[in-house]
Amino acid sequence: MESGRGTEYRKRPGESIQHRRRPSEGGERRRRPSEGTEYRRRQPEGTEYRRRQPEGTEYRRRQPEGTEHRRRQPDGTEHRRRQPDGTEYRRRPSEDTGYRRETSENRKPRRRAPEDVLYTQRSEKSTEHRSGSGGYKPRYRGNIRRVRQRNLRVGIFLLVLLVGIAGAVNAIKAKQQEAAAQAYAEQQAKKEIQEAEEKEEDNGLKLADESEKDQWYLKLVNAKNPMTQEDVPEVATETIDANGYQVDARIMGDLEDMFADAQAAGRNPVICSAFRSWDTQEYLYQNKIQRVMAEEGLSQEEAAVEAGTVVAVPGTSEHQIGLAVDIVSSEYMNLDEKQMETEDQQWLMENSWKYGFILRYPLNKSDITGIIFEPWHYRYVGKEAAKEIYEQDITLEEYLGAEPVGSSQAIESDSEEETLE
Ligand SMILES: [Zn+2]
């Protein structure tokens, strides 16, 4: 537009000086001296064209299009793939040689390399399937099936394997648990036995040793352990007092000591029965039968049963082995429960164990001894056993671990009635 105005001034030549007087606007002057400036100005318009050329850097970029290719070359292998078409084959040679052989036929299966291994194996097996299917697609589908089937088989196999392993592990665990439970049960059983033993010890139940049971002074004689006439041990007896009562000679010392100490304590107990021979016991028993028959009008068999409840049947009395002594108070000589109330009996019951004697048929023990309470019948068992039996408040049967006789046939007395009148 400005150049257009300038052109108008130049068309008026006379006024051109006026134009020079306006030097301040000099930018335009220089362009005026040469009228062709317009042309030149147009040339510079071409400059625009030149300027466009530099702007055409795009154009330069377009010229070396190969440059782009070069830039891409270093970036990626893609460029190499495009230049030599066969290069693709070169890349894949890294895979199996078996795979190469097949590539000559089909490329697609190559691209799915992981499955190919299976594919090649199966294709070698069945050529019929290839020809029958006609193309590689159906073959491929068949292969997929086979692969899936194989995978399925492998999967099932692995599953079965896992189940088997899990089963084995469980079985082992179960066995371990069973073993642990068994060990625990055994431990518990041992504990219970130990506790039971400790309890027994705590109760103070110290019983006779097996070897001790064979000792003569612990010989058990009762209704459940009767003797035949032949079984009765031959006892060397010795007369204990002026009445002529005899005992086993081996207990004489202890018996004498007991009586001496009782008398020293102001007591005066007396013996009313001691050793009885088989004949004596038999006589007592038969005599009792006769008396029952006469007094109660019973038959001999009935009378024998009745007599057996009062007088010990021969073979079942401790008096027959010389270890039993019936002792009563000189102040009260009746054989009944009041006997225990006498001072003489009180002293004997408290002290007899020190000399090896026990009160053999104590109160409330009839179910074990088979004999009613007899606070006069003393039995020698030796000092050790006597102490244990006395302190533990048990019977000879209990001390020996023998079977209780039972109270059903408990006899009233094994004493010699006749001597107590
Ligand atoms: Zn007696």
Side-chain angles (χ1 to χ4, degrees):
M1 295 295 289
E2 289 177 359
S3 64
R5 286 175 186 175
T7 332
E8 288 177 357
Y9 276 105
R10 286 167 192 171
K11 286 176 181 176
R12 295 170 187 175
E15 293 175 359
S16 64
I17 308 166
Q18 292 178 354
H19 283 290
R20 288 176 185 175
R21 287 173 185 174
R22 298 174 187 173
S24 60
E25 299 174 351
E28 295 177 353
R29 274 188 200 166
R30 290 177 184 174
R31 290 173 185 171
R32 285 172 192 171
S34 56
E35 291 180 355
T37 330
E38 291 182 356
Y39 180 74
R40 287 178 185 175
R41 284 176 186 171
R42 288 172 189 173
Q43 285 178 336
E45 288 179 358
T47 330
E48 292 178 1
Y49 178 74
R50 287 179 185 173
R51 287 172 187 171
R52 287 174 189 172
Q53 285 178 340
E55 291 177 356
T57 336
E58 298 175 355
Y59 179 72
R60 287 180 182 173
R61 287 174 187 170
R62 288 173 189 170
Q63 284 180 338
E65 291 179 354
T67 330
E68 295 177 354
H69 290 289
R70 286 177 187 174
R71 287 174 186 172
R72 289 175 187 172
Q73 283 176 348
D75 290 339
T77 28
E78 293 180 359
H79 184 69
R80 287 180 184 173
R81 289 177 186 172
R82 290 172 186 172
Q83 286 178 343
D85 295 338
T87 329
E88 293 182 358
Y89 293 102
R90 290 180 184 174
R91 280 190 175 183
R92 302 199 173 178
S94 61
E95 298 165 357
D96 304 348
T97 29
Y99 180 72
R100 282 182 188 174
R101 290 172 189 170
E102 286 185 1
T103 53
S104 59
E105 297 176 354
N106 292 322
R107 293 179 183 176
K108 291 185 179 178
R110 287 178 189 172
R111 290 171 185 170
R112 307 192 177 177
E115 297 176 356
D116 281 345
V117 191
L118 296 173
Y119 172 73
T120 52
Q121 289 174 352
R122 292 195 177 179
S123 61
E124 287 170 0
K125 285 179 182 174
S126 59
T127 23
E128 294 179 3
H129 185 69
R130 279 187 184 176
S131 58
S133 59
Y136 71 87
K137 276 194 176 180
R139 232 187 295 156
Y140 190 71
R141 285 175 188 169
N143 288 330
I144 288 177
R145 284 177 196 165
R146 289 174 182 175
V147 167
R148 283 178 180 168
Q149 284 176 357
R150 172 161 287 196
N151 287 342
L152 192 64
R153 287 176 196 162
V154 170
I156 290 172
F157 172 74
L158 288 176
L159 192 66
V160 169
L161 192 67
L162 281 175
V163 168
I165 290 171
V169 168
N170 282 337
I172 290 170
K173 278 185 181 175
K175 276 187 179 179
Q176 285 176 343
Q177 285 178 348
E178 195 179 348
Q182 202 171 351
Y184 180 75
E186 286 174 0
Q187 204 175 359
Q188 287 298 109
K190 281 182 183 176
K191 258 190 183 178
E192 285 176 6
I193 291 172
Q194 274 186 348
E195 284 174 358
E197 286 175 353
E198 285 172 5
K199 210 175 182 181
E200 266 192 2
E201 286 174 6
D202 290 343
N203 287 344
L205 281 180
K206 187 181 176 184
L207 306 181
D209 295 333
E210 287 300 319
S211 59
E212 196 181 3
K213 290 178 184 176
D214 294 333
Q215 299 297 323
W216 59 271
Y217 51 80
L218 287 179
K219 182 172 179 58
L220 181 63
V221 179
N222 60 22
K224 285 210 168 177
N225 295 273
M227 302 174 291
T228 65
Q229 196 167 358
E230 292 73 27
D231 291 336
V232 180
E234 286 188 15
V235 178
T237 59
E238 210 169 312
T239 304
I240 183 71
D241 62 3
N243 294 328
Y245 290 113
Q246 295 184 335
V247 294
D248 188 316
R250 292 167 289 191
I251 74 170
M252 273 292 290
D254 289 330
L255 187 59
E256 285 175 338
D257 287 347
M258 184 168 73
F259 270 87
D261 287 348
Q263 288 168 352
R267 304 272 60 83
N268 190 26
V270 294
I271 294 173
C272 63
S273 181
F275 170 75
R276 298 171 200 156
S277 68
W278 185 276
D279 289 343
T280 305
Q281 191 68 32
E282 184 69 29
Y283 167 78
L284 292 174
Y285 181 62
Q286 291 300 334
N287 192 31
K288 185 64 177 177
I289 292 173
Q290 296 302 322
R291 285 179 61 178
V292 169
M293 285 175 68
E295 291 173 5
E296 302 181 22
L298 299 173
S299 70
Q300 189 170 353
E301 288 182 358
E302 292 169 338
V305 174
E306 179 72 18
T309 66
V310 181
V311 177
V313 176
T316 66
S317 174
E318 290 181 335
H319 287 282
Q320 294 183 261
I321 58 175
L323 301 178
V325 186
D326 289 341
I327 306 171
V328 293
S329 170
S330 57
E331 298 166 356
Y332 184 83
M333 302 188 73
N334 294 331
L335 297 180
D336 55 35
E337 292 191 358
K338 286 183 181 177
Q339 184 63 232
M340 67 175 290
E341 297 171 4
T342 64
E343 286 185 90
D344 291 333
Q345 213 57 253
Q346 289 290 320
W347 189 94
L348 287 173
M349 292 169 75
E350 286 176 13
N351 298 283
S352 65
W353 61 272
K354 298 172 185 174
Y355 311 92
F357 290 89
I358 58 167
L359 189 66
R360 178 67 175 90
Y361 307 118
L363 189 63
N364 300 325
K365 295 283 190 178
S366 300
D367 55 340
I368 298 171
T369 63
I371 307 288
I372 61 164
F373 176 45
E374 290 190 356
W376 58 84
H377 183 105
Y378 289 88
R379 156 73 195 264
Y380 186 83
V381 294
K383 288 180 180 178
E384 189 182 342
K387 183 174 183 289
E388 296 296 339
I389 290 170
Y390 172 79
E391 288 181 350
Q392 298 178 90
D393 192 23
I394 57 176
T395 63
L396 180 59
E397 280 83 2
E398 289 169 291
Y399 183 70
L400 296 175
E403 188 181 359
V405 176
S407 57
S408 62
Q409 290 185 342
I411 60 174
E412 293 176 6
S413 171
D414 75 334
S415 58
E416 299 180 46
E417 283 183 312
E418 286 79 7
T419 63
L420 296 172
E421 291 181 31

